[in-house]
Amino acid sequence: MNLPAALLDNALRWRHQLHQHPELGYQEQHTSTLVAQVLEEAGLQVFRGLAGTGVIATLENGPGPTIGLRADMDALPITEKGTPAWQSAQQGVMHACGHDGHTAMLLAAACQLAATRRFSGTVHFLFQPAEENLGGARKMVEEGLFTRFPMDAVYAMHNWPGLPLGQIAINPGAMMASLDSFEITLNGKSCHAAMPESGADPMVVAAELILALQTIPSRRLSPLASAVVSVTQIHGGEAINVIPEHVVLRGTVRCLQPEVRDRVRGLIEEFVTTLPRPFGVSGDIAWYPGYPVTANHAAQAEQVRDVASALLGERQVRWQVNPSMASEDFACMLEACPGAYFWIGADGETPSAPLHNAHYDFNDALLPMGIAFWQQLVEHVLAKA
């Protein structure tokens, strides 16, 4: 990892600056301006405005394939509880997922590749807004990412607490689960709490339904199928002595196989329609589709494994790891273009706080490794003849 000291100093400075000035999805004005300025100064062609605050920079170096490298830029609505010198200056907003580090690594890699140019082809550096639940990747695709900037493959990395520093994890298939959100409305008949027989109680149905939905993964699916059904909100009632007319349940479904995703959705709809009837209650469900399964393409996953093995050693590469049941909107890019998504270890001598935790801070020891990996991947995939 023989990288210029000045480049590493810049990457560290960018990372801390981004951490100190976090921005929520589609609000990444400061972040995208910094990214665009650095890339323009490095001599890349810079395009702004895709998905609002997205930035795409193009580096051409002779004939050859075209690939994309993606970093996410947005922060989370969390109040930081850690006390680094670069602590968030924005109350209630922090980089609790490491997107500040992802952006700094890809920025530095773009500068390094622009200086060395030991490849033949074209690289698009994709700085994506709104990864956290807002679907920035899907919006970029819908606004013409792969038609305006055609690519043969696209890649993304994510720092991963729980994985030792210096290791990379990659699968030739699913890495992250699909995500769908739902809202169930149970419609009953309000009455006095002392006279439940005169009404139809949606609260009792809500309790029965929450428990019933948990039987879908345990009793209606094969043990070899992967699915998580979580009811995370329940809203109903105003007065303590009145049975409410309506109760609303909200939650999420996560799956690792598209066919399981379809099956689970069908079963939930069946429960919502049929379970309330004996109670004199009706049920309706609204779906808010999130992200598909983050499923790597085999050829690109093998390229990541080969580069990681050469850079870090074969023993530092985790192949065929257990996927995460969390979700990632890079899945939308992988639906539209071959590619691979992988994890890079974040745990040093002291284990990292979990992602989305108020005490989390990106491990700066990752910066040289991430920058070097991006450089090596480009030089491997776009090798000069």
Side-chain angles (χ1 to χ4, degrees), residues 179-184 209-211 213-217 227-234 249-255 264 268 287 325:
L179 168 64
D180 295 296
S181 301
F182 58 80
E183 181 177 281
I184 298 167
L209 184 59
I210 290 170
L211 293 176
L213 293 180
Q214 301 313 305
T215 67
I216 292 175
V228 177
V229 179
S230 296
V231 178
T232 57
Q233 295 181 19
I234 179 168
L249 306 176
R250 298 189 183 98
T252 62
V253 176
R254 299 172 189 268
C255 305
V264 171
I268 291 176
W287 288 100
M325 294 306 292

Side-chain angles (χ1 to χ4, degrees), residues 70 128 130-131 134-142 145-146 154 177 179 261 289-295 297 327-338 341:
R70 173 272 211 171
Q128 179 208 309
E131 188 276 332
L134 294 174
R138 174 178 283 124
K139 191 169 181 63
M140 292 185 84
V141 173
E142 290 173 347
L145 172 64
F146 294 112
V154 65
L179 168 64
R261 183 187 190 189
Y291 308 145
V293 177
T294 305
H297 298 250
S327 304
E328 160 67 61
D329 79 341
F330 186 67
C332 300
M333 293 191 184
L334 291 176
E335 275 197 327
C337 180
Y341 168 91

Side-chain angles (χ1 to χ4, degrees), residues 17-223:
Q17 182 177 347
L18 291 170
H19 190 93
Q20 197 164 23
H21 300 282
E23 296 169 300
L24 298 175
Y26 298 123
Q27 301 175 32
E28 304 96 339
Q29 300 296 337
H30 166 84
T31 304
S32 60
T33 296
L34 169 65
V35 166
Q37 288 175 346
V38 169
L39 296 169
E40 287 169 352
E41 290 171 2
L44 282 75
Q45 303 173 61
V46 176
F47 308 87
R48 300 185 65 175
L50 203 65
T53 50
V55 180
I56 298 171
T58 300
L59 180 61
E60 299 178 3
N61 197 52
T66 299
I67 63 173
L69 310 179
R70 173 272 211 171
D72 33 20
M73 300 188 296
D74 57 323
L76 283 156
I78 296 174
T79 298
E80 185 164 12
K81 292 184 178 178
T83 57
W86 46 90
Q87 185 181 34
S88 171
Q90 180 68 30
Q91 181 65 28
V93 183
M94 71 168 289
H95 272 293
C97 202
H99 297 182
D100 49 344
H102 302 166
T103 297
M105 289 190 294
L106 190 58
L107 263 183
C111 294
Q112 176 70 354
L113 287 161
T116 57
R117 294 180 177 267
R118 294 193 295 264
F119 66 93
S120 183
T122 300
V123 186
H124 296 304
F125 300 91
L126 316 176
F127 293 87
Q128 179 208 309
E131 188 276 332
E132 299 290 357
N133 298 320
L134 294 174
R138 174 178 283 124
K139 191 169 181 63
M140 292 185 84
V141 173
E142 290 173 347
E143 293 186 5
L145 172 64
F146 294 112
T147 53
R148 294 175 59 185
F149 305 92
M151 301 172 212
D152 298 295
V154 65
Y155 304 85
M157 74 164 70
H158 203 296
N159 80 98
W160 205 250
L163 191 69
L165 185 71
Q167 290 191 4
I168 281 179
I170 179 75
N171 285 338
M175 286 292 293
M176 308 280 279
S178 63
L179 168 64
D180 295 296
S181 301
F182 58 80
E183 181 177 281
I184 298 167
T185 302
L186 299 172
N187 305 295
K189 180 181 177 183
S190 180
C191 64
H192 196 294
M195 307 169 193
E197 74 283 0
S198 63
D201 191 347
M203 195 67 75
V204 171
V205 176
E208 295 279 356
L209 184 59
I210 290 170
L211 293 176
L213 293 180
Q214 301 313 305
T215 67
I216 292 175
S218 65
R219 289 296 178 267
R220 300 299 300 275
L221 299 179
S222 164

